[in-house]
Amino acid sequence: MMTKETNQSWGGRFNEPVDAFVARFTASVDFDKRLYKHDIMGSIAHAKMLTEVGVLTALERDAIIEGLSQIQQEIEAGQFEWRVDLEDVHMNIEAKLTERIGVTGKKLHTGRSRNDQVATDIRLWLRDEIDRIKAEVTRLQQGILQLAEREADTIMPGFTHLQTAQPVTFGHHLLAWFEMLSRDFERLVDCRKRVNRMPLGSAALAGTTYPIDRLITCDLLGFEAVSGNSLDGVSDRDFAIEFCSAASLIMMHLSRFSEELVLWTSAQFRFIELPDRFCTGSSIMPQKKNPDVPELIRGKSGRVFGDLTGLLTLMKGQPLAYNKDNQEDKEPLFDAVDTVADSLRAFADMVPAIQARRENMREAALRGFSTATDLADYLVGKGLPFRDCHEIVGHAVRYGVEHNKDLAEMSLAELKQFSDKIEQDVFAVLTLEGSVNARNHLGGTAPAQVKAAIEQAKELLANR
């Protein structure tokens, strides 16, 4: 006879209860209980399908649905008692259902296993989370466009190797962020397609002898298709790994944005001002305003990279089909979802409130000979080979370094000592405005192109 302490879902095979430590060690309810809503959703769809194929009666179906609905209300009201001895979210809900409606509750599990049940729950949950994250990506992109529109004409230095390279507009720089996030959005959309496959009906690993109709359940749960192989259906976690890969790229992008914000707020740059509500002070230095939110997001990228690596390592040595190892799939996935969603939310709230220090940006662009390439291009226009022009401008820059003069600050006589091709019209080329306006092509930094790109980006978001 089964003892009270023996797990009621599988205890018939065992002569003694599980060791108390092992019960705690193998339980997952502390973290997988967040799947409760999707577990109940899947169970209701399963009950409806079983009724359609004649395994359950309509009265049994209605009792199950009513019982599950009441359990969901209890969970959401904080009145549900989660039991570690029942291992996971699935058995906690099923045990409560049986306690509430009797033997009919035990019939719910007909034609399925916890293996295909949990695989279905995770996909349902992740599908919703991807939609939430996509919405946050869009909200951040909207904020970027707001700031880029305000700063479409604001000139700042563009960098390579973190050295002044050429003048760009702040709006153009922000649109680079927009492009990165657009790729992230596309990856999420594509990932969601593979998440949205239904493993329910695979049972433990080989399918079931009951006359189930997987297409009914698939339709009820809004999946695009059913999994094509029962072994793969219960053991596949590619979709979770793929999501963590997409999430890692998002966090890598946010980390790059964060690094720039940290630099730009420093006393050495002073390009922007972050709102106080996204910063903190120092316990000892009263003058400090620390960009804690960008710094923390930069650090949190490592968590998500770790989640991806953890899932890859988890799966790399598993034979088909389901193994207990897969209990370890949830915490890294949950962490990746929570981290990327919170980081996007923080950025989406923060970016529209950024204030540009336009004069500081312009002053920085005037330093570092940022229009040197424009002078070389000017000389090419006068008929000289580019490599000769490159050398000529190099000499001019060296002269400027020695005399502490930018190219635009030199007189025509000073410039002509490097090439007699240089005339008075060179000064239109050497100004910051002349430099950025000269790059008036698709994808260029000219303010006219930036404004056109913003309008196209707005249309892109409106059509999502």
Side-chain angles (χ1 to χ4, degrees), residues 28-94:
S28 60
V29 68
D30 285 344
F31 52 84
D32 69 16
K33 62 187 178 184
R34 71 158 64 187
L35 298 174
Y36 76 89
K37 183 168 64 175
H38 300 89
D39 189 72
I40 290 172
M41 182 192 310
S43 290
I44 288 174
H46 185 64
K48 289 179 177 179
M49 181 275 293
L50 290 178
T51 306
E52 289 292 321
V53 299
V55 174
L56 293 179
T57 67
L59 288 176
E60 288 172 329
R61 175 201 61 202
D62 294 345
I64 288 171
I65 293 174
E66 176 63 22
L68 289 172
S69 299
Q70 290 174 1
I71 289 170
Q72 180 167 338
Q73 291 171 14
E74 286 182 21
I75 294 172
E76 292 173 350
Q79 298 169 350
F80 189 88
E81 181 184 355
W82 296 100
R83 291 172 49 187
V84 173
D85 62 301
L86 291 173
E87 295 186 42
D88 55 35
V89 60
H90 325 292
M91 293 314 306
N92 267 267
I93 291 174
E94 183 178 321

Coordinates of all heavy atoms in Angstrom, one line a residue, residues 28-94:
S28 N 11.2 21.4 -8.1 CA 11.3 22.6 -8.9 C 10.2 23.6 -8.7 O 10.2 24.7 -9.3 CB 11.4 22.2 -10.4 OG 10.2 21.6 -10.8
V29 N 9.3 23.3 -7.8 CA 8.2 24.2 -7.7 C 8.5 25.6 -7.2 O 7.8 26.5 -7.6 CB 7.1 23.5 -6.7 CG1 7.7 23.5 -5.2 CG2 5.8 24.3 -6.7
D30 N 9.6 25.8 -6.5 CA 10.0 27.1 -6.1 C 10.2 28.1 -7.3 O 10.0 29.3 -7.1 CB 11.2 27.1 -5.2 CG 11.0 26.5 -3.8 OD1 9.8 26.5 -3.4 OD2 11.9 26.1 -3.1
F31 N 10.6 27.5 -8.4 CA 10.9 28.4 -9.5 C 9.9 28.2 -10.7 O 9.6 29.1 -11.5 CB 12.3 28.4 -10.0 CG 12.9 27.0 -10.3 CD1 12.6 26.4 -11.5 CD2 13.6 26.4 -9.3 CE1 13.2 25.1 -11.8 CE2 14.1 25.1 -9.6 CZ 13.9 24.5 -10.8
D32 N 9.4 26.9 -10.9 CA 8.5 26.7 -12.0 C 7.1 27.0 -11.7 O 6.2 27.0 -12.7 CB 8.7 25.3 -12.6 CG 8.1 24.2 -11.7 OD1 7.4 24.5 -10.7 OD2 8.5 23.0 -11.9
K33 N 6.8 27.5 -10.5 CA 5.4 27.9 -10.2 C 5.0 29.1 -11.1 O 3.8 29.4 -11.2 CB 5.2 28.1 -8.7 CG 6.0 29.2 -8.1 CD 5.8 29.3 -6.6 CE 6.7 30.4 -6.0 NZ 6.6 30.3 -4.5
R34 N 5.9 29.8 -11.6 CA 5.6 31.0 -12.4 C 4.9 30.5 -13.8 O 4.3 31.3 -14.5 CB 6.8 31.8 -12.7 CG 7.8 31.3 -13.7 CD 8.6 32.4 -14.3 NE 9.4 33.1 -13.4 CZ 10.2 34.2 -13.7 NH1 10.1 34.6 -15.0 NH2 10.9 34.8 -12.8
L35 N 4.9 29.2 -14.0 CA 4.3 28.7 -15.2 C 2.8 28.3 -15.0 O 2.2 27.8 -15.9 CB 5.0 27.4 -15.7 CG 6.5 27.6 -16.1 CD1 7.1 26.2 -16.4 CD2 6.6 28.5 -17.3
Y36 N 2.3 28.6 -13.8 CA 0.9 28.2 -13.4 C -0.1 28.5 -14.4 O -1.0 27.7 -14.8 CB 0.6 28.7 -12.0 CG 0.1 30.2 -12.0 CD1 -1.2 30.5 -12.2 CD2 1.1 31.2 -11.9 CE1 -1.6 31.9 -12.3 CE2 0.7 32.5 -11.9 CZ -0.6 32.8 -12.1 OH -1.0 34.2 -12.1
K37 N -0.1 29.7 -14.9 CA -1.2 30.2 -15.8 C -1.1 29.4 -17.1 O -2.2 29.0 -17.7 CB -1.0 31.7 -16.1 CG -2.1 32.3 -17.0 CD -2.1 33.8 -17.0 CE -0.8 34.3 -17.6 NZ -0.8 35.8 -17.8
H38 N 0.1 29.2 -17.6 CA 0.2 28.4 -18.9 C 0.0 26.9 -18.7 O -0.5 26.3 -19.6 CB 1.5 28.7 -19.5 CG 1.7 30.2 -19.8 ND1 2.3 31.1 -18.9 CD2 1.4 30.9 -20.9 CE1 2.3 32.3 -19.4 NE2 1.8 32.2 -20.6
D39 N 0.3 26.4 -17.5 CA 0.0 25.0 -17.2 C -1.5 24.8 -17.2 O -2.0 23.8 -17.7 CB 0.6 24.7 -15.8 CG 0.5 23.2 -15.6 OD1 1.2 22.4 -16.2 OD2 -0.3 22.8 -14.7
I40 N -2.2 25.7 -16.6 CA -3.7 25.6 -16.5 C -4.3 25.8 -17.9 O -5.2 25.1 -18.3 CB -4.3 26.7 -15.5 CG1 -3.9 26.2 -14.1 CG2 -5.8 26.8 -15.7 CD1 -4.2 27.3 -13.0
M41 N -3.8 26.7 -18.7 CA -4.2 27.0 -20.1 C -4.1 25.7 -20.9 O -5.0 25.3 -21.6 CB -3.4 28.1 -20.7 CG -3.8 28.4 -22.1 SD -2.6 29.5 -22.9 CE -2.4 30.8 -21.7
G42 N -2.9 25.0 -20.8 CA -2.7 23.8 -21.5 C -3.6 22.7 -21.0 O -4.1 21.9 -21.8
S43 N -3.9 22.6 -19.7 CA -4.7 21.6 -19.2 C -6.2 21.7 -19.6 O -6.9 20.8 -19.9 CB -4.6 21.6 -17.6 OG -3.4 21.1 -17.2
I44 N -6.6 23.0 -19.7 CA -8.0 23.2 -20.1 C -8.2 22.8 -21.6 O -9.1 22.2 -22.0 CB -8.4 24.7 -19.9 CG1 -8.6 25.0 -18.4 CG2 -9.6 25.1 -20.7 CD1 -8.8 26.4 -18.1
A45 N -7.2 23.2 -22.4 CA -7.2 22.8 -23.8 C -7.2 21.3 -24.0 O -7.9 20.7 -24.8 CB -6.1 23.4 -24.6
H46 N -6.3 20.6 -23.2 CA -6.2 19.1 -23.2 C -7.6 18.5 -22.8 O -8.0 17.5 -23.5 CB -5.1 18.7 -22.2 CG -4.8 17.2 -22.3 ND1 -4.4 16.6 -23.4 CD2 -5.0 16.3 -21.3 CE1 -4.2 15.3 -23.1 NE2 -4.6 15.1 -21.9
A47 N -8.2 19.0 -21.8 CA -9.5 18.5 -21.3 C -10.6 18.7 -22.4 O -11.4 17.8 -22.7 CB -10.0 19.2 -20.1
K48 N -10.6 19.8 -23.1 CA -11.5 20.0 -24.2 C -11.3 19.0 -25.3 O -12.2 18.5 -25.9 CB -11.4 21.5 -24.7 CG -11.9 22.5 -23.7 CD -11.8 23.9 -24.3 CE -12.4 25.0 -23.3 NZ -12.2 26.3 -23.8
M49 N -10.0 18.8 -25.7 CA -9.7 17.8 -26.7 C -10.1 16.4 -26.3 O -10.7 15.7 -27.1 CB -8.2 17.9 -27.0 CG -7.7 16.9 -28.1 SD -7.4 15.2 -27.6 CE -6.0 15.5 -26.6
L50 N -9.8 16.0 -25.1 CA -10.2 14.7 -24.6 C -11.8 14.5 -24.7 O -12.3 13.4 -25.0 CB -9.7 14.4 -23.2 CG -8.2 14.3 -23.0 CD1 -7.9 14.1 -21.5 CD2 -7.7 13.1 -23.8
T51 N -12.5 15.6 -24.5 CA -14.0 15.5 -24.6 C -14.4 15.3 -26.0 O -15.3 14.5 -26.4 CB -14.6 16.8 -24.0 OG1 -14.1 17.0 -22.7 CG2 -16.1 16.7 -24.0
E52 N -13.7 16.0 -26.9 CA -14.0 15.9 -28.4 C -13.8 14.5 -28.9 O -14.5 14.1 -29.8 CB -13.2 16.9 -29.2 CG -13.6 18.4 -29.0 CD -14.9 18.7 -29.5 OE1 -15.3 18.2 -30.6 OE2 -15.7 19.5 -28.9
V53 N -12.8 13.8 -28.4 CA -12.5 12.5 -28.9 C -13.2 11.4 -28.0 O -13.0 10.2 -28.3 CB -11.0 12.2 -28.9 CG1 -10.3 13.2 -29.9 CG2 -10.4 12.3 -27.6
G54 N -14.0 11.8 -27.0 CA -14.8 10.8 -26.3 C -14.1 10.2 -25.1 O -14.7 9.3 -24.5
V55 N -13.0 10.7 -24.7 CA -12.3 10.2 -23.5 C -12.9 10.7 -22.2 O -13.0 10.1 -21.2 CB -10.8 10.5 -23.5 CG1 -10.1 10.0 -22.2 CG2 -10.1 9.7 -24.7
L56 N -13.3 12.0 -22.2 CA -14.0 12.6 -21.1 C -15.4 13.0 -21.5 O -15.7 13.2 -22.7 CB -13.3 13.9 -20.7 CG -11.9 13.8 -20.1 CD1 -11.4 15.3 -19.8 CD2 -11.9 13.0 -18.8
T57 N -16.3 13.0 -20.5 CA -17.7 13.5 -20.8 C -17.7 15.0 -20.7 O -16.8 15.6 -20.1 CB -18.7 12.9 -19.8 OG1 -18.4 13.4 -18.5 CG2 -18.6 11.4 -19.8
A58 N -18.8 15.6 -21.2 CA -18.9 17.0 -21.1 C -19.0 17.5 -19.6 O -18.4 18.5 -19.2 CB -20.2 17.5 -21.8
L59 N -19.6 16.7 -18.8 CA -19.7 17.0 -17.3 C -18.3 17.0 -16.7 O -18.0 17.8 -15.9 CB -20.6 16.1 -16.6 CG -22.1 16.3 -16.9 CD1 -23.0 15.2 -16.2 CD2 -22.6 17.7 -16.5
E60 N -17.5 16.0 -17.1 CA -16.2 15.9 -16.5 C -15.3 17.1 -17.0 O -14.6 17.6 -16.2 CB -15.5 14.6 -16.9 CG -16.1 13.3 -16.2 CD -15.7 12.0 -16.8 OE1 -15.4 12.0 -18.0 OE2 -15.6 11.1 -16.0
R61 N -15.5 17.4 -18.3 CA -14.7 18.5 -18.8 C -15.1 19.8 -18.0 O -14.2 20.6 -17.6 CB -15.1 18.7 -20.3 CG -14.4 19.9 -20.9 CD -15.2 20.3 -22.2 NE -16.6 20.7 -21.9 CZ -17.6 20.6 -22.8 NH1 -17.4 20.2 -24.0 NH2 -18.8 20.9 -22.4
D62 N -16.4 20.0 -17.8 CA -16.8 21.3 -17.2 C -16.3 21.3 -15.7 O -15.9 22.4 -15.2 CB -18.3 21.4 -17.2 CG -18.8 21.6 -18.6 OD1 -18.0 21.9 -19.5 OD2 -20.0 21.4 -18.8
A63 N -16.3 20.2 -15.1 CA -15.8 20.1 -13.7 C -14.3 20.4 -13.6 O -13.8 21.2 -12.7 CB -16.1 18.7 -13.1
I64 N -13.6 19.9 -14.6 CA -12.1 20.1 -14.6 C -11.9 21.6 -14.9 O -11.0 22.2 -14.2 CB -11.5 19.3 -15.7 CG1 -11.4 17.8 -15.3 CG2 -10.1 19.8 -16.1 CD1 -11.0 16.8 -16.3
I65 N -12.6 22.2 -15.9 CA -12.3 23.6 -16.2 C -12.7 24.5 -15.0 O -12.0 25.5 -14.7 CB -13.1 24.0 -17.5 CG1 -12.5 23.2 -18.7 CG2 -13.1 25.5 -17.7 CD1 -13.3 23.4 -20.0
E66 N -13.8 24.2 -14.4 CA -14.2 25.0 -13.3 C -13.2 24.9 -12.1 O -12.8 25.9 -11.5 CB -15.6 24.6 -12.8 CG -16.1 25.3 -11.5 CD -16.3 26.8 -11.7 OE1 -16.4 27.3 -12.9 OE2 -16.3 27.5 -10.7
G67 N -12.8 23.7 -11.9 CA -11.8 23.5 -10.8 C -10.5 24.2 -11.1 O -9.9 24.8 -10.2
L68 N -10.0 24.1 -12.3 CA -8.7 24.8 -12.7 C -8.9 26.3 -12.6 O -7.9 27.0 -12.2 CB -8.3 24.3 -14.1 CG -7.8 22.9 -14.2 CD1 -7.6 22.5 -15.7 CD2 -6.5 22.7 -13.5
S69 N -10.0 26.8 -13.0 CA -10.2 28.2 -13.0 C -10.2 28.7 -11.5 O -9.7 29.8 -11.2 CB -11.6 28.6 -13.6 OG -11.6 28.2 -15.0
Q70 N -10.8 28.0 -10.6 CA -10.8 28.3 -9.2 C -9.3 28.3 -8.7 O -8.9 29.2 -7.9 CB -11.7 27.4 -8.4 CG -13.2 27.6 -8.7 CD -14.0 26.6 -8.0 OE1 -13.5 25.7 -7.2 NE2 -15.3 26.7 -8.2
I71 N -8.6 27.3 -9.1 CA -7.2 27.2 -8.6 C -6.4 28.4 -9.1 O -5.6 29.0 -8.4 CB -6.6 25.9 -9.1 CG1 -7.2 24.7 -8.4 CG2 -5.0 25.9 -9.0 CD1 -6.8 23.3 -8.9
Q72 N -6.6 28.8 -10.3 CA -5.9 30.0 -10.9 C -6.2 31.2 -10.1 O -5.3 32.0 -9.7 CB -6.2 30.2 -12.3 CG -5.5 31.4 -12.9 CD -5.5 31.5 -14.4 OE1 -5.8 30.4 -15.1 NE2 -5.3 32.6 -15.0
Q73 N -7.5 31.4 -9.7 CA -7.9 32.5 -8.9 C -7.2 32.5 -7.5 O -6.7 33.5 -7.0 CB -9.4 32.5 -8.7 CG -10.2 32.8 -10.0 CD -11.7 32.6 -9.8 OE1 -12.2 32.5 -8.7 NE2 -12.4 32.6 -11.0
E74 N -7.1 31.3 -6.9 CA -6.4 31.2 -5.6 C -4.9 31.5 -5.7 O -4.4 32.2 -4.9 CB -6.6 29.7 -5.1 CG -7.9 29.4 -4.6 CD -8.0 28.0 -4.0 OE1 -6.9 27.4 -3.7 OE2 -9.1 27.4 -4.0
I75 N -4.3 31.1 -6.8 CA -2.9 31.4 -7.0 C -2.7 32.9 -7.1 O -1.8 33.4 -6.5 CB -2.3 30.6 -8.2 CG1 -2.3 29.1 -8.0 CG2 -0.9 31.1 -8.5 CD1 -2.0 28.3 -9.2
E76 N -3.5 33.5 -7.9 CA -3.3 34.9 -8.2 C -3.7 35.8 -7.0 O -3.3 36.9 -6.9 CB -4.1 35.3 -9.4 CG -3.5 34.7 -10.7 CD -4.3 34.9 -12.0 OE1 -5.5 35.3 -11.9 OE2 -3.8 34.5 -13.1
A77 N -4.5 35.2 -6.1 CA -4.9 35.9 -4.9 C -3.9 35.6 -3.7 O -4.0 36.1 -2.6 CB -6.3 35.5 -4.4
G78 N -2.9 34.8 -4.0 CA -1.9 34.4 -3.0 C -2.4 33.5 -2.0 O -1.8 33.4 -0.9
Q79 N -3.4 32.7 -2.3 CA -4.0 31.8 -1.3 C -3.7 30.4 -1.5 O -4.1 29.5 -0.8 CB -5.6 32.0 -1.3 CG -6.0 33.4 -1.0 CD -7.5 33.6 -1.3 OE1 -8.1 32.8 -2.0 NE2 -8.0 34.7 -0.8
F80 N -2.9 30.1 -2.5 CA -2.6 28.7 -2.9 C -1.3 28.2 -2.1 O -0.3 29.0 -2.0 CB -2.3 28.6 -4.4 CG -2.2 27.2 -4.9 CD1 -3.3 26.5 -5.3 CD2 -1.0 26.5 -5.0 CE1 -3.2 25.2 -5.8 CE2 -0.8 25.2 -5.5 CZ -2.0 24.6 -5.9
E81 N -1.4 27.1 -1.5 CA -0.3 26.5 -0.8 C 0.6 25.6 -1.7 O 0.1 24.5 -2.1 CB -0.8 25.7 0.4 CG 0.4 25.2 1.3 CD -0.1 24.3 2.4 OE1 -1.3 24.2 2.6 OE2 0.7 23.7 3.1
W82 N 1.8 26.0 -2.0 CA 2.6 25.2 -2.8 C 3.4 24.2 -2.0 O 4.0 24.5 -1.0 CB 3.7 26.1 -3.6 CG 3.0 27.1 -4.5 CD1 2.8 28.4 -4.3 CD2 2.6 26.8 -5.8 NE1 2.2 29.0 -5.4 CE2 2.0 28.0 -6.3 CE3 2.5 25.7 -6.6 CZ2 1.5 28.1 -7.6 CZ3 2.0 25.8 -7.9 CH2 1.5 27.0 -8.4
R83 N 3.4 23.0 -2.4 CA 4.0 21.9 -1.6 C 5.2 21.3 -2.3 O 5.2 20.9 -3.5 CB 3.0 20.7 -1.4 CG 1.8 21.1 -0.5 CD 0.7 20.0 -0.5 NE 1.3 18.6 -0.3 CZ 0.6 17.5 -0.5 NH1 -0.7 17.6 -0.8 NH2 1.2 16.3 -0.3
V84 N 6.3 21.4 -1.6 CA 7.6 20.9 -2.2 C 7.5 19.4 -2.4 O 8.1 18.9 -3.4 CB 8.8 21.3 -1.3 CG1 10.1 20.6 -1.8 CG2 8.9 22.8 -1.2
D85 N 6.8 18.7 -1.6 CA 6.8 17.2 -1.7 C 6.1 16.8 -3.0 O 6.2 15.6 -3.5 CB 6.1 16.6 -0.5 CG 4.6 17.0 -0.4 OD1 4.4 18.2 -0.3 OD2 3.7 16.1 -0.4
L86 N 5.3 17.7 -3.7 CA 4.7 17.4 -4.9 C 5.6 17.8 -6.1 O 5.1 17.8 -7.3 CB 3.3 18.1 -5.0 CG 2.3 17.5 -4.0 CD1 1.0 18.3 -4.1 CD2 2.0 16.0 -4.4
E87 N 6.8 18.2 -5.8 CA 7.8 18.4 -6.8 C 7.7 19.7 -7.7 O 8.6 20.5 -7.7 CB 8.0 17.2 -7.8 CG 8.4 15.9 -7.2 CD 8.6 14.9 -8.2 OE1 9.2 15.1 -9.3 OE2 8.2 13.7 -8.0
D88 N 6.6 19.8 -8.4 CA 6.6 20.9 -9.4 C 5.2 21.5 -9.5 O 4.3 21.1 -8.8 CB 7.0 20.3 -10.8 CG 6.2 19.1 -11.2 OD1 5.0 19.1 -10.9 OD2 6.8 18.2 -11.9
V89 N 5.1 22.5 -10.4 CA 3.9 23.2 -10.6 C 2.8 22.3 -11.1 O 1.6 22.4 -10.7 CB 4.1 24.4 -11.5 CG1 4.6 24.0 -12.9 CG2 2.8 25.3 -11.7
H90 N 3.1 21.4 -11.9 CA 2.1 20.5 -12.6 C 1.4 19.6 -11.5 O 0.2 19.5 -11.5 CB 2.8 19.6 -13.6 CG 3.9 20.3 -14.4 ND1 3.6 21.4 -15.2 CD2 5.2 20.1 -14.4 CE1 4.8 21.8 -15.7 NE2 5.7 21.0 -15.2
M91 N 2.2 19.0 -10.7 CA 1.6 18.1 -9.7 C 0.9 18.8 -8.6 O -0.1 18.3 -8.0 CB 2.7 17.1 -9.1 CG 3.3 16.2 -10.1 SD 2.0 15.3 -11.1 CE 0.9 14.7 -9.9
N92 N 1.4 20.0 -8.3 CA 0.7 20.8 -7.3 C -0.7 21.2 -7.7 O -1.7 21.0 -7.0 CB 1.5 22.1 -7.0 CG 2.4 22.0 -5.8 OD1 2.1 22.3 -4.7 ND2 3.6 21.5 -6.1
I93 N -0.8 21.6 -9.0 CA -2.1 21.9 -9.5 C -3.0 20.7 -9.7 O -4.2 20.7 -9.3 CB -2.0 22.7 -10.9 CG1 -1.3 24.1 -10.6 CG2 -3.3 22.8 -11.6 CD1 -1.0 24.8 -11.8
E94 N -2.4 19.6 -10.2 CA -3.2 18.4 -10.4 C -3.7 17.8 -9.0 O -4.9 17.4 -8.9 CB -2.4 17.3 -11.1 CG -3.2 16.1 -11.4 CD -2.4 15.0 -12.2 OE1 -1.7 15.4 -13.1 OE2 -2.6 13.8 -11.9

